[in-house]
Amino acid sequence: MKHLSALNKYFWKYRYRFFIGILFVISSNYFAVVAPQITGFVVNLVQQHLPGAKPSVSKPVHDKLVDWFIQTIQSVNLSFGWIITISCLTILLSAIIRGILMFFMRQTIIVMSRHIEFDQKKEIYRHYQQLDTHFYKVHSTGDLMNRMTEDVSRVRMFTGPAVMYLINLVTLIGFCVVNMLRKDVHLTLLVLAPLPLLAITIYLVNSVINKKSEKIQSLLSDLTTNAQETYSGIRVIKSFAQEKAMLGFFRKNSEEYKKNAVGLAKVEAIYFPSMALMIGISTLITIMIGGIQALEDSSKVGLIVEFVIYINLLTFPVSAIGWTASMIQRAAASQKRLNEFLQTKPNITNIANPVTAKVSGDIVFDNISFTYPHTGITALDHFSLSIQKGDKVLLLGRTGSGKSTLAQLLLRFYDPTKGSIYIGDQDIKNIELKTLREQISYVQQDVFLFSDTVTNNISFGLAKTAKKELVEQAAIFSSVHKEILGFSEGYDTMIGERGVTLSGGQKQRISIARALIKEPEIIVFDDCLSAVDAKTENEIIGNLNRYLHEKTAIVITHRIFSSFPFDKIIVLENGKVSEEGSHATLMANNGYYAELYRLQLTELGQETSLD
Ligand code: ADP
Ligand code: MG
C-alpha cells in the first residue's frame, strides 16, 4: 500500500475538488436513509388505520430532518390521504436530491481521477524522455507502453472509483447502521450477522477473479503480439507459405485464452447468487424476528419495512467492500511498477553548471574504452583520435568494429568506461546535453522517420517548421529533391504508416536532409548511405564540402570514396585504430583499406562491364 503514497501529491493538488466530492458523498447518503424512515412512518400510519389495530407501544425514533417533517405534517391537521400523498412525494424528492448529489459526487471525484491520470501520464512521458539509451535497451517498448497505459488506468481506478466507493460505503453503512441501532439494537445485530460473511465471500471470490483476470490479460497480450507479428511479417509468412502453421499457432493461443475466460465466467457466476443468498437470509431474519415483535407492538410493522429497505441499501456497499479492496490492491501493484521507472535516474546527466555555449572546435577522443553495461561486450578499446575543426573524416571498419558506438559516445548516449572525449578543449561531460546534441547531427544507421509530411520530417530538429526554400535546399544536397517532387503531394506528402512507403535509400536521404538543415557544427553519417547507389552516394559526399564547408564531418561507411579528399581516413578494428592517414598512405600501407579499395574497383569494373 505504501506505493500508493506516491499519489499523495496529486490528492493534495486537487484537495478542494476532493473535499467537495467527499461532502457530496456524505450528503447523498444522508438522503438515501430518509426514504426508509418515511416509509416506516407511512406503514405505521396505515397500520393504525386498519380496523382492530393495536395501539403502538413505543414511539419510533428518527433523525432530526425526518422528525421535523413528521411533526410538521401532523401539526397541520391534514387528512389521512393527504399525509400519505405528501409522504410519498417526499420520498420521491429525497431520491431526486440523492440522485443530483450523486451526479455531483461523480463530477468531482471521477473528474479528479481523470485529472490525476492526465498529470501522471505527463509525468511518466516526461520522465521516459529523460532516461538514457541503456534504459531503452533493457526495457521493451511494449513494457513501457503498458505501464503508461494499463498501469496508469489501474491507478485511476483507485483515485476515482475505488476512493469514491470507499467513502461511499463507509458513510452509507454508517448511516444505515446508526439508524438501525437507534431503532432496535437486538434486531440490528441479528440482521447484520450474515453481512460480514457476504463481504468475506465476495473478497475471496474477487481474489480468484483477479488472479484469473491477470492470467487472461497476459494471454490476451500474447495473442495480440502473435497477431501483430503475423501482420507485420505477412510477406515473410506468405513467401514461406506458412499461413497454416501461423493459424495453428494462433488457434493454440486462442484456445488457451478461451479456456481461461470460460473459467473466469464460471467464478463470476457465483457472485450474484451468493449475494442474493445473504441478502435473503438477512431479510428473512428481519421478517421473522420483526414479525414476532410486531405481535406485541404494532409500531414494529413499520420497522420491518424500514429494515428491509436498509438491507437492500446495504447490499451494494457491502458487496463493494470486496472489489474496492481488490481495486486498491491492483492499483498498488501498478503504482509499484510505475514508481520503479519513475525512480530510475538517468545515468547521463548534466553537471551542476554545464557549459551552454555553442560547441565547436577540435574533437579529441582521449584513450577511451567502452564496454556495453548489460552485455559486457567491449566495443572500444583504448581508442584515441583527434579531429581538427572543419575536418572531413572517413571512418572505415568491419561490422562490429565499434564505429556506431564511437558516434554514440560522441553524443553522450553512453559515457565511456575509461578516458574522455573533448570538443574544443571542453570535456563533453561538462557541456549541457541539449547544447551538445543540438550542435551535432547524427544520421543513424537505422533510419527512423515519423508518420508526418516530408517537410515536417526534414525540419524535425528545428524549433519550428523551416522555410520552404531551406527544406528544399537540404533535400537537394542530399539528392532526394527530385524524388520528393515526384510524390503525389510533393513536400506535403505523408510518409510512413499513414502515407507513402519510401524505399530504404529515400528514407536514408531524407534523414540526411533532416540532419543537414540543422546546420550543425559537427555531423556524423553512420553508414547511412548503404541503401543508396554508388553514384548518388558520391554525389552526396561531393556536396559535403559545399554544404558543410566549415563544419566537421565524420563519415562512417563500408565503402571508399577515393574521389573525395578526406582530411583523414581511419580504419577501426576490434575497437582500436588499425590504420590512419590519407588515401595515399593507406594504399601504401597495403592493409584492410587497400584490400577494400581493390575489391571495390573490381566490383565497379564488373558493374561497368555489365552495362
Ligand atoms: P559497427 O557500427 O562498427 O558495426 P558497433 O559499434 O555497432 O559496430 O558495435 C561494436 C560492438 O558492440 C559489437 O560487438 C556489437 O555487438 C556491440 N554492441 C553494439 N551495440 C550494442 C548494444 N546496444 N548493446 C550491447 N552491445 C552492443
Ligand atoms: Mg554501425
Side-chain angles (χ1 to χ4, degrees):
M1 213 57 63
K2 66 175 191 295
H3 304 293
L4 289 175
S5 62
L7 293 167
N8 288 351
K9 59 170 186 254
Y10 294 123
F11 282 121
W12 181 247
K13 182 173 174 194
Y14 297 107
R15 59 189 177 280
Y16 299 120
R17 192 182 279 273
F18 189 36
F19 180 69
I20 294 171
I22 294 176
L23 289 185
F24 280 130
V25 177
I26 296 174
S27 44
S28 79
N29 285 330
Y30 176 75
F31 282 97
V33 295
V34 164
Q37 296 181 66
I38 297 180
T39 313
F41 161 71
V42 171
V43 171
N44 275 341
L45 207 66
V46 175
Q47 161 76 17
Q48 298 290 307
H49 267 75
L50 291 179
K54 284 187 191 167
S56 39
V57 179
S58 55
K59 193 174 177 301
V61 258
H62 301 111
D63 67 36
K64 289 226 167 57
L65 189 68
V66 179
D67 256 342
W68 172 81
F69 168 76
I70 292 172
Q71 272 164 19
T72 319
I73 205 171
Q74 282 174 337
S75 65
V76 275
N77 222 351
L78 290 168
S79 70
F80 174 69
W82 270 110
I83 296 186
I84 304 282
T85 314
I86 293 176
S87 301
C88 290
L89 286 176
T90 314
I91 293 175
L92 183 67
L93 182 70
S94 68
I96 293 173
I97 297 178
R98 183 184 184 210
I100 293 173
L101 289 169
M102 279 172 86
F103 167 78
F104 284 116
M105 156 182 110
R106 293 198 145 258
Q107 280 290 312
T108 42
I109 300 189
I110 302 294
V111 168
M112 172 189 79
S113 76
R114 290 291 181 194
H115 279 291
I116 295 182
E117 180 190 25
F118 171 73
D119 286 353
Q120 210 178 13
K121 280 202 173 156
K122 224 167 46 181
E123 182 190 2
I124 297 168
Y125 188 87
R126 190 179 303 140
H127 187 75
Y128 275 0
Q129 284 202 323
Q130 282 165 1
L131 293 170
D132 37 47
T133 329
H134 176 59
F135 175 85
Y136 286 96
K137 284 273 187 266
V138 291
H139 296 285
S140 68
T141 316
D143 188 19
L144 296 180
M145 297 290 290
N146 233 341
R147 292 189 198 210
M148 192 154 147
T149 52
E150 276 296 303
D151 287 318
V152 171
S153 322
R154 286 186 176 191
V155 171
R156 193 196 73 80
M157 290 306 280
F158 164 70
T159 55
V163 162
M164 188 175 78
Y165 288 136
L166 194 67
I167 307 168
N168 193 38
L169 71 92
V170 169
T171 49
L172 188 56
I173 292 177
F175 276 127
C176 287
V177 172
V178 165
N179 267 320
M180 288 165 91
L181 286 173
R182 232 175 5 200
K183 293 201 168 135
D184 192 329
V185 178
H186 183 65
L187 188 59
T188 307
L189 293 180
L190 281 174
V191 166
L192 293 184
L195 292 186
L197 221 75
L198 174 63
I200 294 171
T201 315
I202 289 180
Y203 178 73
L204 292 179
V205 172
N206 244 314
S207 315
V208 178
I209 289 178
N210 273 349
K211 263 198 214 109
K212 288 200 180 273
S213 335
E214 302 263 303
K215 174 94 201 224
I216 287 180
Q217 208 59 40
S218 84
L219 284 172
L220 185 66
S221 140
D222 284 353
L223 205 62
T224 323
T225 315
N226 183 193
Q228 194 190 352
E229 283 213 337
T230 305
Y231 303 137
S232 34
I234 193 73
R235 278 194 262 180
V236 181
I237 294 173
K238 279 188 187 288
S239 64
F240 281 84
Q242 286 298 323
E243 290 96 332
K244 215 169 156 193
M246 291 308 285
L247 181 64
F249 198 50
F250 185 78
R251 189 178 291 146
K252 197 170 134 270
N253 274 347
S254 287
E255 205 67 51
E256 186 74 16
Y257 173 75
K258 187 180 83 184
K259 215 172 77 200
N260 277 276
V262 169
L264 178 68
K266 281 185 185 155
V267 181
E268 278 177 333
I270 304 176
Y271 209 97
F272 289 103
S274 64
M275 222 155 80
L277 179 70
M278 300 289 169
I279 299 301
I281 293 175
S282 284
T283 316
L284 197 69
I285 297 173
T286 313
I287 296 175
M288 260 171 57
I289 312 281
I292 294 169
Q293 289 182 352
L295 290 177
E296 309 286 312
D297 178 357
S298 67
S299 73
K300 297 285 179 186
V301 178
L303 190 77
I304 299 174
V305 178
E306 201 176 327
F307 266 49
V308 171
I309 303 180
Y310 285 133
I311 294 165
N312 281 301
L313 271 180
L314 284 176
T315 318
F316 177 72
V318 170
S319 57
I321 295 176
W323 44 271
T324 309
S326 58
M327 243 190 297
I328 297 175
Q329 271 174 358
R330 279 165 155 225
S334 285
Q335 186 62 42
K336 183 176 166 225
R337 280 157 53 81
L338 293 177
N339 290 349
E340 230 169 69
F341 278 4
L342 287 172
Q343 282 156 11
T344 308
K345 294 262 175 296
N347 294 321
I348 312 284
T349 47
N350 283 323
I351 57 157
N353 287 307
V355 177
T356 51
K358 209 171 177 183
V359 288
S360 70
D362 301 352
I363 305 172
V364 177
F365 293 90
D366 184 16
N367 206 16
I368 55 167
S369 295
F370 181 71
T371 306
Y372 278 100
H374 60 291
T375 56
I377 295 174
T378 299
L380 289 170
D381 184 14
H382 299 282
F383 173 91
S384 292
L385 171 70
S386 51
I387 298 169
Q388 269 163 20
K389 182 174 160 42
D391 268 3
K392 311 284 178 281
V393 178
L394 184 69
L395 189 63
L396 279 164
R398 294 188 171 86
T399 331
S401 56
K403 306 179 299 287
S404 299
T405 308
L406 197 69
Q408 292 181 27
L409 291 184
L410 187 66
L411 274 119
R412 279 196 81 200
F413 283 178
Y414 300 92
D415 277 336
T417 325
K418 275 197 216 123
S420 300
I421 304 171
Y422 301 88
I423 296 178
D425 290 337
Q426 196 63 253
D427 189 326
I428 58 169
K429 282 186 187 163
N430 301 334
I431 302 171
E432 194 199 28
L433 273 174
K434 187 167 169 281
T435 316
L436 177 77
R437 290 178 186 164
E438 265 169 8
Q439 298 298 326
I440 305 177
S441 269
Y442 174 40
V443 190
Q444 311 208 14
Q445 206 168 351
D446 21 287
V447 182
F448 180 84
L449 297 176
F450 295 92
S451 303
D452 204 338
T453 60
V454 176
T455 304
N456 286 345
N457 263 291
I458 293 181
S459 39
F460 177 72
L462 306 176
K464 49 179 195 265
T465 309
K467 281 207 197 86
K468 192 165 166 268
E469 301 81 62
L470 286 177
V471 173
E472 283 183 10
Q473 197 188 16
I476 290 168
F477 278 113
S478 40
S479 305
V480 68
H481 176 64
K482 280 199 199 111
E483 276 152 89
I484 296 174
L485 289 183
F487 297 156
S488 58
E489 283 161 68
Y491 278 83
D492 293 326
T493 311
M494 290 293 286
I495 53 180
E497 273 181 9
R498 288 186 287 142
V500 294
T501 311
L502 301 178
S503 75
Q506 286 168 336
K507 277 191 210 161
Q508 284 185 336
R509 279 170 290 147
I510 289 183
S511 78
I512 294 173
R514 172 173 71 185
L516 291 179
I517 204 168
K518 251 172 83 179
E519 303 212 3
E521 286 302 313
I522 300 164
I523 188 160
V524 183
F525 293 104
D526 189 354
D527 226 350
C528 55
L529 293 167
S530 55
V532 176
D533 61 81
K535 189 173 149 278
T536 317
E537 188 177 19
N538 269 314
E539 212 173 277
I540 296 170
I541 298 291
N543 285 339
L544 280 185
N545 255 352
R546 276 192 287 158
Y547 205 91
L548 300 167
H549 186 58
E550 299 283 304
K551 321 283 169 149
T552 313
I554 302 173
V555 181
I556 299 173
T557 169
H558 55 276
R559 217 180 293 179
I560 292 170
F561 307 100
S562 50
S563 56
F564 186 85
F566 280 101
D567 299 292
K568 202 173 243 181
I569 298 168
I570 314 285
V571 179
L572 203 60
E573 209 166 324
N574 294 329
K576 284 193 183 91
V577 178
S578 67
E579 293 170 57
E580 181 175 351
S582 65
H583 176 72
T585 9
L586 292 187
M587 284 308 289
N589 227 358
N590 214 10
Y592 173 72
Y593 183 85
E595 186 193 328
L596 193 67
Y597 184 71
R598 280 193 289 270
L599 198 71
Q600 209 170 299
L601 272 191
T602 16
E603 271 175 15
L604 272 182
Q606 276 167 0
E607 266 177 36
T608 29
S609 65
L610 278 175
D611 282 345

